[in-house]
Amino acid sequence: MLRDPATYASSLVGLPKAQKDLTKAEVGHNLKIISDFLEIMLVDGFSGKDQKSLATVSKNVKPELLKFVMEETHKAHTDVGVSLTVKTYVAHFDRTPHVVSIPTSELMKFSNILLQHESKLRISEDDPVAELCRRIGPWEKALIEQIERPENDKVHNFVMKSRFLLSEAGMTICGSSDCPVPPRMSATASLSDKNMVIKTYVADSQHRLLESLLQEVGSLEAANFHELKLELDAMVAEMMNKTPPPYTLIHNITEGLKSVKEMINNETDLSDTLQSMADTVANRSKHRTYLELLKEGLASIQEAQLQHAKDLKQAEWELCQAISASMSLSLPKTLKEVAQKEGIELKLVEASRHVQRIQEFGRTELTGCSFSPEK
């Protein structure tokens, strides 16, 4: 992106102001210098006495930059997953039909692609998409080229079943696509997973005791488990001489010492243990970010739910008005006055007179009949 600012900092990507800045010579020069630095930094290419200061800066910048990239990448992935889940629920409160329009030629190509990669896309023995593609069969290249002509390529409109929970048994997050789908369309879902929409975090309790202990005692100087045991023993002895002794902390350290002794007996590597603890903390942080994003999305779902309730009331009122008007076919007084002034005979006027003459069903509310707008 830094190498090609004309493409990635232009009106083509919605950055018209940045495009104006590119006309300044110093901006282009600075972007080139930064690009050169980042490329050399990634391969640890700074060498020589004249680049000693750059090598020092690189050692400090590289870990932080990589950490930032990893965090942003995970956040973007989490955002997409949560957004899909939230929008799927919001769609169920939207009574407006959603239509996707696709040309015939594109459908034929898409069908061929699905058929060609059936073994990779199949989620089960009775995969409905695979079965449908087999029944359709492959499309010949010559036929596709013929259909691609403007006079032959028709557009097909598909009404999407965005409110599938009204007819499906439930919803789950597919382990393969990471998308919210009905359980029957998931490659990894079982019958018990039909309502597994929110991801749960399973805590790794293997080093939880040691992790909690390290948080309580603060910084330590031990470089291995043997030194850690000696340092914790000395810490307990020192605490016992205090008045009064902090018995709760002493108890926690004693329990932690049991875990340390077990690791010594099992010849557990300290670096592996610390890495495992770091991974556990990172996973908890990721799940916390996921839950925070999900909490924000719940507000959108609740808003859509309230709007849906209002829309239903409005639809019910309009239907009541329509039924009431249909029983007499009478027109508003203002409309009839304007028509009379313009010398126009409205069609419903005669129909309304006819209804008044025959008084069909007494033109009252029909007993036993009910109505309900689409829910």
Side-chain angles (χ1 to χ4, degrees), residues 139-205:
W139 299 97
E140 297 294 335
K141 184 178 179 180
L143 180 58
I144 295 178
E145 292 176 352
Q146 181 181 352
I147 295 298
E148 283 181 323
R149 297 174 183 172
E151 65 272 16
N152 297 330
D153 208 2
K154 308 300 181 184
V155 176
H156 301 265
N157 296 322
F158 297 90
V159 179
M160 306 308 294
K161 192 177 181 181
S162 56
R163 309 175 75 195
F164 60 84
L165 282 177
L166 299 180
S167 56
E168 296 287 348
M171 185 168 74
T172 187
I173 303 297
C174 178
S176 298
S177 63
D178 205 26
C179 295
V181 295
R184 65 182 180 85
M185 298 186 68
S186 171
T188 56
S190 61
L191 293 176
S192 60
D193 295 333
K194 67 179 183 179
N195 291 315
M196 294 295 291
V197 177
I198 298 178
K199 298 178 182 178
T200 56
Y201 173 75
V202 179
D204 181 8
S205 59

Side-chain angles (χ1 to χ4, degrees), residues 209 213 229 232 251-265:
L209 181 61
L213 176 61
K229 177 181 178 301
L232 292 176
H251 171 75
N252 293 338
I253 295 176
T254 303
E255 292 297 317
L257 277 168
K258 294 179 182 179
S259 178
V260 172
K261 291 177 183 177
E262 183 180 349
M263 292 178 183
I264 293 175
N265 294 333

Side-chain angles (χ1 to χ4, degrees), residues 109-128:
K109 294 176 185 178
F110 187 52
S111 176
N112 280 352
I113 292 174
L114 292 176
L115 194 60
Q116 180 182 354
H117 300 282
E118 176 190 342
S119 59
K120 299 177 183 179
L121 301 174
R122 174 186 290 277
I123 62 172
S124 62
E125 287 298 324
D126 55 348
D127 187 303

Side-chain angles (χ1 to χ4, degrees), residues 13 52-53 77 88 99-100 111 192 239 254 277 375:
V13 293
K52 187 175 180 180
S53 59
H77 175 73
T88 299
V99 179
V100 175
S111 176
S192 60
M239 291 179 179
T254 303
M277 292 170 62
K375 295 183 178 180

